Amino acid sequence: MFTTVGNRGTMHLGLCLRVLILAALTVPIRAAQPAQETFTLTVPDGPTSTLSGSSVSLLCQVSPLFNVEPLEVRWYRSSNFHSLALLYKYHKIQEAPVDPQYSGRVSLTGGMERGNVSLTLERVTLEDKGEYVCQVTSKQWYEKASVFLTVNVTGSEPVLSVAEARGGGGQVNVTCSSAGWSPQPKLIWTNKEGTEIRNGQEVLNTSDPQGLVSVSSWLLYAPSYSDWLACTVSLSEEVKRESRILPLIYTAPTAVPGVYKEAYILILVLLVLSPVIICALCSVILWKRRGSMWSSSRKSRNSSDQTELGQRPTETKNLIEGAENTVKTLTRQRAAGKGGNLKAETNNSIEENIILDEKTAHPAIRVNQEKQRAHYIKEKDTEKRFRMHLHVFSQESFSSGRHYWEVKVKDGTTEKLSWYVGVARENVERRPIVPLTPQNGFWILSFDKEKGFHVNTDPQSPITVAELTIVGVFLDCDRHTLSFYNVDTESLLYTFTDVKTFNYFPVFSPGQRDIFTIRII
């Protein structure tokens, strides 16, 4: 009996020893195995989208999860394996060989110890869009996958216009256009109830060399005195621009039946000629009233320029009031430096003390300490990448009333080779791919040594003037007019008669062909 028990104890002891030996041998064998002999990469199924100027992460995850810090990670454009956006090797990001356009803008921020090799790209530009390849390499294996990046650029506000449709039929042709989008935007028409209009419309998309898209659409629509139309251009529900219009065209009757036809034609002729006659009489009256004010203004201004060229008054506003057009001087400096001027032709006009907003200046424009002079400097290569029009806005904006200011574009015998001055609407598009036209929110007078003086109508209208030293700018927000004057010869250069917007900003450009200043006086 004891023998039997002893045999059983011996058998249990031997079994336990065999289990312990097997466990001891198993642990070191597992630790000696490589982390992973093969693996795969997981990337997004669709494109990754971001706005120009923002940051974005291009996702790339190693599967199964393990620490990939000992491995090599490459990110590159699909079109060029050797043009690297990022190279991780020997436990750190290598500075070379990497494409210079990505220098200082890329990093791996996902957590490589968890197998995340996502690429973070900062300050995204339109040139960054396209296909990127994520490649992870070990000693035994490598895997790669593609990630597509789209860069969204918001275009300009839609510009709407109405014209009579061909063939009549009681319809008008409404057009909508907007430029500077990426990728191709969606354009829709809606009525005031928000219902989309699909019938009778056509859409055209065109791309420029930079890859930005311009979109235009035409819509046949019945005129209405109360139902406005909206044109919306969008990339998404959050990124969109919209403009509205009343689709109306005034058309006079083409024929009057019976014996009243001749009387109707006579009345129509009188109606057409009446504004012309009234404008002519007003011009004569204004010219006579203006003449007496100019000689004292010019003498005072010339004296101020010679004795105090580098100084500007701290407050300059001349308010013209009453039928007598008397000039009220607001500061002692303005009384010594500048008397009555063009605003004598308009009651309740304010001569503005314009201050330049240095924050809005192109990188190649320098504004002086008093913020009333601007000049061009030679651009650096990095500054040439700023695809903006070369100008600076004022700090002030105007939405009502009458306002006048003057800009000196020539000092003594020094003649500038180019410049422009005028007004712009709020939030105008500043990239040079958008022309400086009234349709895009700019109303300017410009000068170029070879081309002469022009206003930016479409097409441009030349202005005949022998010499121009000081430009007078007169803005009537209530009447939606903008006039340019030759201060030296007391003459009107040009008047825009349809300057319609909600908020006006004076705009100034010293040009980019010389380093001489333009200054507000």
Side-chain angles (χ1 to χ4, degrees), residues 287-392:
W287 180 263
K288 290 182 179 180
R289 292 170 62 186
R290 197 167 61 204
S292 62
M293 302 291 295
W294 272 80
S295 56
S296 62
S297 174
R298 293 171 63 190
K299 291 178 181 179
S300 178
R301 183 182 297 108
N302 291 338
S303 174
S304 174
D305 288 345
Q306 292 173 1
T307 59
E308 202 172 36
L309 183 62
Q311 300 179 1
R312 297 293 299 127
T314 59
E315 182 179 3
T316 58
K317 291 185 178 180
N318 295 341
L319 183 61
I320 308 301
E321 295 180 345
E324 298 81 12
N325 296 317
T326 56
V327 179
K328 294 184 178 181
T329 306
L330 296 182
T331 66
R332 188 182 308 171
Q333 293 94 332
R334 174 58 77 187
K338 198 169 189 180
N341 47 42
L342 278 167
K343 294 195 333 331
E345 71 183 40
T346 308
N347 291 338
N348 299 323
S349 304
I350 298 177
E351 183 174 358
E352 301 295 344
N353 181 30
I354 301 296
I355 301 298
L356 299 177
D357 188 355
E358 193 171 7
K359 296 178 182 178
T360 67
H362 185 281
I365 290 181
R366 291 294 179 269
V367 177
N368 74 330
Q369 187 175 1
E370 290 77 17
K371 294 181 171 50
Q372 292 187 318
R373 295 173 183 255
H375 68 277
Y376 170 78
I377 63 171
K378 186 176 180 181
E379 295 179 79
K380 301 178 181 178
D381 292 337
T382 55
E383 292 175 345
K384 292 181 180 179
R385 298 178 184 175
F386 284 80
R387 296 192 299 274
M388 298 187 298
H389 289 295
L390 199 144
H391 53 229
V392 57

Side-chain angles (χ1 to χ4, degrees), residues 45-64:
D45 293 332
T48 300
S49 298
T50 189
L51 289 173
S52 177
S54 63
S55 300
V56 65
S57 290
L58 304 182
L59 302 181
C60 185
Q61 175 69 52
V62 177
S63 181

Side-chain angles (χ1 to χ4, degrees), residues 246-259:
L246 281 174
L248 293 175
I249 294 180
Y250 173 77
T251 55
T254 57
V256 177
V259 295

